[in-house]
Amino acid sequence: MADIYKEVDRNESLRNYCRNATDKEGDTFVGIKSEMVDGKHMLTINFPIGYDISDNEDEVRSEIVELVAVLQDYNDQASRISKIMPEQVLKTVRFPVQSYFFVMFDYLNNGTYMVKEEKYISGISGPISWGQTIRKEQPIVQPNGFIYSQYRVKTHSDTDKDLITEIYNYCVYQSYLKLGWIYKLQPLHKPVRKRDNATYIKYLHSKFLQTNRDNDKRLFRAMLDILNFCNSDDEPERFYFGTNSFEYVWERLIQFTFGNVDKIRYFPKTKWTLRIGNQRENHPLEPDTIMQANNDIYILDAKYYKYGVSFNASDLPNSSSINKQISYGEYVATNDEFQDERDRGMQIYNAFLMPFNRTNDLFNNHENYQSIGEATADWKHNESENEYSFERIQGILVDVKKIISNKIKANNSEIVKLAKAIEESLQQNDSIRNIK
């Protein structure tokens, strides 16, 4: 395997390895790429469209780690890599990035793992501690003296202690090669391996089953993940951690941050009633996120579209998406399921949420939520006194960096801010429509 870390200049700013995906001509990958291009190793950290990558070294490092954490938590089967070479698919899908981080952090915080204390059990094989045996074991008295049927023996032999340290050093080195460049660690010496991966895995698995210490279990699990990922005979010169379909991650981030009610209740259902054969119920339409604030309902559609970067109208949701959002709103506005809420004055709002960089100079402020207009349908009560708010889908740009950094599920503070932004957007767009 190429020594990736040696080819990363430790004097080079991390910012120079970072870039934004453009979502143009197949440039959709978000995550870390380590690959060979024209015989030269290339390392890139690819952030989503609209993400404001910092220039400060420490901040960039935190942003990389944050991006990795989000991809680890939200990368599901739908958002797996699809545009890489077939032989790399398996390596990509199971790249244990969190395990590499865990081992690296353990090394930085604690140094090389070693068996620091001797443990003894009752047994008949292994190094005997006569002092412990005399104190804790009951001898059998005989005419010519006494004997012990059990001894106090060490649970760890010197060979055991050497082997666990050897495995640990190997996993630390692998973590250093894959991700050590993020922390610009001092070079580590390549450890001497006296056993193969199969021996490592078998031994470590037995230690994982034996230990009762939670931290050791987590460490051994992370080391096993690394060993299972690596193939000592054919380690890849490239690895990928990320996705070509960040839109699925974007949907889940929006749901995590703003979703605060059970969505299932808001699924419009359809069915076939047939003259021949049994009736058939179809899969319901499923809105991305339902948010409730001040007893009002906000139907949110997460759109990972590049309008917030391009400001090109062709990069906005199309008629199909617009009509679907109106259908969601109409379902809530007319179905008996929601009659009680409507009687209590519930309002229904619709919005498309698209990523952008809030520091963009096109806006007069640097708020995390910006209105860019609204989408309507000619077949509804357009600009009439009978018009409903949900028939006007508000276009809201959301700072992608803010959403990625959010750690609070159903973040009430952000829910209140987004609700306000949507309502203010309606008012702003009223004034535009009146002018026209």
Side-chain angles (χ1 to χ4, degrees):
M1 178 182 177
D3 192 335
I4 292 171
Y5 188 72
K6 285 183 180 178
E7 298 184 39
V8 177
D9 186 350
R10 292 174 58 246
N11 296 317
E12 186 82 15
S13 169
L14 283 175
R15 179 63 178 84
N16 293 338
Y17 293 104
C18 300
R19 62 180 296 277
N20 291 97
T22 63
D23 221 24
K24 297 176 183 177
E25 300 177 353
D27 181 19
T28 60
F29 179 79
V30 174
I32 299 174
K33 275 187 181 181
S34 172
E35 57 187 348
M36 302 300 294
V37 178
D38 297 329
K40 182 179 179 182
H41 177 252
M42 298 290 291
L43 177 71
T44 55
I45 303 99
N46 302 269
F47 284 84
I49 53 176
Y51 190 99
D52 180 28
I53 307 169
S54 300
D55 292 321
N56 179 275
E57 191 78 354
D58 290 334
E59 290 178 7
V60 172
R61 182 177 295 109
S62 296
E63 289 164 5
I64 294 170
V65 174
E66 204 163 57
L67 176 65
V68 166
V70 163
L71 291 170
Q72 179 75 19
D73 291 342
Y74 293 100
N75 218 2
D76 58 15
Q77 191 60 41
S79 53
R80 294 297 189 197
I81 293 291
S82 59
K83 297 177 182 177
I84 60 173
M85 298 178 68
E87 65 269 20
Q88 290 297 324
V89 171
L90 181 60
K91 289 286 182 186
T92 296
V93 168
R94 60 187 181 90
F95 179 65
V97 64
Q98 294 295 75
S99 295
Y100 282 113
F101 273 124
F102 188 90
V103 170
M104 191 161 55
F105 289 154
D106 183 86
Y107 173 74
L108 292 174
N109 292 328
N110 304 313
T112 300
Y113 181 89
M114 301 177 68
V115 177
K116 297 185 175 79
E117 59 185 45
E118 302 292 358
K119 293 185 179 180
Y120 297 89
I121 60 173
S122 294
I124 58 174
S125 63
I128 299 172
S129 169
W130 284 108
Q132 292 237 0
T133 300
I134 293 170
R135 288 195 302 271
K136 296 187 177 183
E137 296 295 332
Q138 184 67 39
I140 300 172
V141 179
Q142 294 188 336
N144 58 346
F146 57 88
I147 62 171
Y148 288 93
S149 61
Q150 298 256 63
Y151 307 100
R152 299 296 290 180
V153 296
K154 287 183 182 180
T155 58
H156 302 292
S157 67
D158 290 338
T159 301
D160 279 342
K161 289 190 282 188
D162 290 344
L163 182 53
I164 192 67
T165 300
E166 179 183 325
I167 298 171
Y168 181 82
N169 287 338
Y170 173 75
C171 291
V172 168
Y173 186 72
Q174 287 299 317
S175 303
Y176 157 83
L177 289 181
K178 300 294 196 306
L179 298 174
W181 48 268
I182 295 177
Y183 294 91
K184 296 192 173 180
L185 302 179
Q186 292 297 322
L188 295 181
H189 293 294
K190 186 175 182 179
V192 176
R193 296 190 66 185
K194 299 178 181 178
R195 297 144 177 104
D196 59 17
N197 255 28
T199 303
Y200 281 0
I201 291 170
K202 182 178 179 181
Y203 175 78
L204 196 56
H205 183 68
S206 69
K207 302 305 293 182
F208 176 81
L209 295 177
Q210 291 172 12
T211 187
N212 293 317
R213 298 177 61 188
D214 289 341
N215 193 68
D216 279 358
K217 275 192 174 294
R218 292 182 64 195
L219 177 61
F220 294 163
R221 178 71 268 170
M223 291 163 65
L224 281 168
D225 288 342
I226 292 171
L227 293 173
N228 284 319
F229 176 77
C230 294
N231 182 328
S232 59
D233 297 325
D234 185 26
E235 294 183 29
E237 290 186 337
R238 67 187 84 180
F239 71 86
Y240 304 80
F241 177 75
T243 177
N244 277 317
S245 302
F246 192 77
E247 61 268 24
Y248 296 104
V249 179
W250 181 246
E251 289 174 7
R252 296 183 69 189
L253 285 168
I254 295 298
Q255 169 62 23
F256 178 84
T257 303
F258 302 109
N260 60 353
V261 296
D262 183 5
K263 288 198 305 182
I264 296 176
R265 188 172 174 233
Y266 297 85
F267 289 0
K269 301 178 180 65
T270 63
K271 67 179 180 181
W272 277 98
T273 302
L274 302 171
R275 290 191 294 273
I276 302 174
N278 298 324
Q279 74 174 26
R280 172 190 164 179
E281 293 189 359
N282 300 312
H283 290 293
L285 289 173
E286 300 184 15
D288 286 347
T289 296
I290 302 295
M291 181 180 86
Q292 187 177 51
N294 300 321
N295 297 319
D296 295 329
I297 289 297
Y298 300 77
I299 305 169
L300 310 177
D301 191 11
K303 292 295 189 189
Y304 183 66
Y305 288 8
K306 59 179 178 283
Y307 177 83
V309 175
S310 71
F311 295 98
N312 187 330
S314 64
D315 295 324
L316 288 168
N318 59 21
S319 294
S320 175
S321 296
I322 294 166
N323 286 326
K324 190 184 294 185
Q325 285 302 112
I326 293 173
S327 295
Y328 292 142
E330 194 162 339
Y331 174 69
V332 180
T334 60
N335 194 278
D336 291 343
E337 169 80 12
F338 306 98
Q339 187 62 54
D340 289 344
E341 290 99 316
R342 293 196 298 268
D343 289 343
R344 293 194 295 270
M346 174 186 69
Q347 296 296 310
I348 305 161
Y349 299 94
N350 248 322
F352 292 121
L353 303 186
M354 295 166 281
F356 90 122
N357 178 354
R358 72 184 182 90
T359 64
N360 193 303
D361 292 334
L362 282 175
F363 301 100
N364 295 326
N365 57 59
H366 290 169
E367 298 294 331
N368 291 319
Y369 308 100
Q370 296 284 354
S371 168
I372 52 102
E374 66 182 22
T376 56
D378 290 346
W379 59 277
K380 298 307 294 181
H381 308 101
N382 199 8
E383 299 188 35
S384 74
E385 61 182 16
N386 295 321
E387 186 177 51
Y388 296 105
S389 57
F390 67 79
E391 295 175 354
R392 300 165 56 188
I393 302 99
Q394 301 306 296
I396 305 293
L397 300 181
V398 180
D399 185 65
V400 63
K401 189 172 187 174
K402 176 66 176 179
I403 294 301
I404 284 179
S405 67
N406 174 55
K407 303 296 187 297
I408 303 172
K409 186 174 184 179
N411 188 322
N412 190 61
S413 174
E414 296 306 316
I415 287 171
V416 170
K417 292 174 184 176
L418 178 59
K420 181 182 178 183
I422 292 172
E423 292 173 33
E424 288 180 349
S425 177
L426 268 167
Q427 297 169 8
Q428 293 166 5
N429 292 326
D430 272 339
S431 61
I432 295 174
R433 282 151 53 120
N434 291 334
I435 293 173
K436 292 182 178 180

